[in-house]
Amino acid sequence: NGPTIPRSEWDERIRDMEKAQSRISDICDAMGVKIKNQFSSSYCWVFATTTCAEIIRAVQQQATVELSPASVGAKIKNFRDEGGWGTQSLRYGVEQGWVPTLLWPDAAIDRRYDTPQANAERRKYQVDEWYELESNNFDQVATCLLIGLPVSIGLSWWRHQVVASDLVKLDGSGNYGVRIRNSWGLQYGTNGQAILTERKATPDDACVPR
């Protein structure tokens, strides 16, 4: 419900973040936040929000810990490989938390990893504040990125959920887009990342861990 940053300020803010190397992508590189790979699973909706949770830890200068998307998605879907919504996975991360990848591999939809030890670790990795953004509101996404908050964006045209990490000015066009982190491994785009135009990156659903 807060105000969005006016578009008239976007160019200067983008330049300042690039100069200070304070963009989310810069922080991910510095803190070693890795690109994930969902392989053949349908869990993009939870891979995106899990990556956002890892990024928020990096932004807050907490120790880098890889978190398991499957430790959330499998519990929500009763160990079925099914699609879902980013807000579903983020709510579970708020209420229950994530299991580190060391105890539950990222894409393992497998009850063997649902152990007392794994679930005891969840409480260490919970999100306690989050936003749900308005549908089709690119300015809200841009505002979050300009204050250092990654956004899990659901895109109906792609039937896919990814992480918006940086607001970018598209060269020579006067238009904007976002840098995304996908969950298809490093082979996607440039080291797992790509640029989407504003039209392509305007989400049908979006959520932000804080």
Side-chain angles (χ1 to χ4, degrees):
N1 293 325
T4 57
I5 296 173
R7 288 185 176 236
S8 60
E9 297 181 15
W10 288 7
D11 287 3
E12 182 177 0
R13 286 176 178 261
I14 291 170
R15 287 194 298 269
D16 288 347
M17 294 179 80
E18 290 174 344
K19 184 176 181 180
Q21 295 188 323
S22 62
R23 298 171 300 180
I24 289 171
S25 57
D26 296 321
I27 294 170
C28 287
D29 289 344
M31 297 292 288
V33 179
K34 296 179 180 178
I35 297 292
K36 290 186 174 293
N37 195 331
Q38 69 188 76
F39 296 102
S40 59
S41 80
S42 303
Y43 279 10
C44 63
W45 53 283
V46 66
F47 269 78
T49 52
T50 302
T51 296
C52 285
E54 291 181 348
I55 291 171
I56 283 296
R57 288 179 56 84
V59 169
Q60 295 175 353
Q61 299 294 304
Q62 298 184 51
T64 300
V65 177
E66 293 184 55
L67 303 175
S68 168
S71 74
V72 169
K75 295 285 278 188
I76 294 171
K77 295 295 182 177
N78 195 24
F79 292 87
R80 297 184 299 270
D81 184 6
E82 296 178 348
W85 300 94
T87 50
Q88 282 181 293
S89 59
L90 190 49
R91 285 191 181 112
Y92 193 95
V94 169
E95 296 168 2
Q96 303 293 334
W98 284 264
V99 177
T101 298
L102 287 174
L103 295 176
W104 192 321
D106 279 355
I109 308 172
D110 191 331
R111 293 182 188 275
R112 290 178 300 170
Y113 297 105
D114 189 18
T115 65
Q117 179 190 7
N119 287 303
E121 288 293 300
R122 289 184 187 276
R123 299 298 182 181
K124 299 178 183 179
Y125 305 101
Q126 289 176 267
V127 170
D128 56 10
E129 295 181 17
W130 64 290
Y131 296 134
E132 184 173 6
L133 304 188
E134 294 177 359
S135 177
N136 298 311
N137 193 326
F138 184 79
D139 287 33
Q140 285 189 349
V141 174
T143 295
C144 288
L145 300 180
L146 291 172
I147 61 175
L149 298 177
V151 186
S152 176
I153 56 174
L155 305 169
S156 291
W157 65 267
W158 200 358
R159 299 182 67 185
H160 193 43
Q161 191 113 7
V162 295
V163 177
S165 61
D166 304 318
L167 182 67
V168 297
K169 180 74 172 290
L170 302 179
D171 291 341
S173 66
N175 297 319
Y176 298 91
V178 298
R179 178 175 291 106
I180 63 165
R181 295 172 73 87
N182 204 348
S183 54
W184 291 348
L186 293 174
Q187 69 273 16
Y188 171 80
T190 303
N191 295 322
Q193 301 177 77
I195 303 293
L196 296 182
T197 64
E198 177 177 343
R199 183 175 66 85
K200 292 287 190 181
T202 298
D204 296 278
D205 66 275
C207 56
V208 184
R210 296 191 64 235

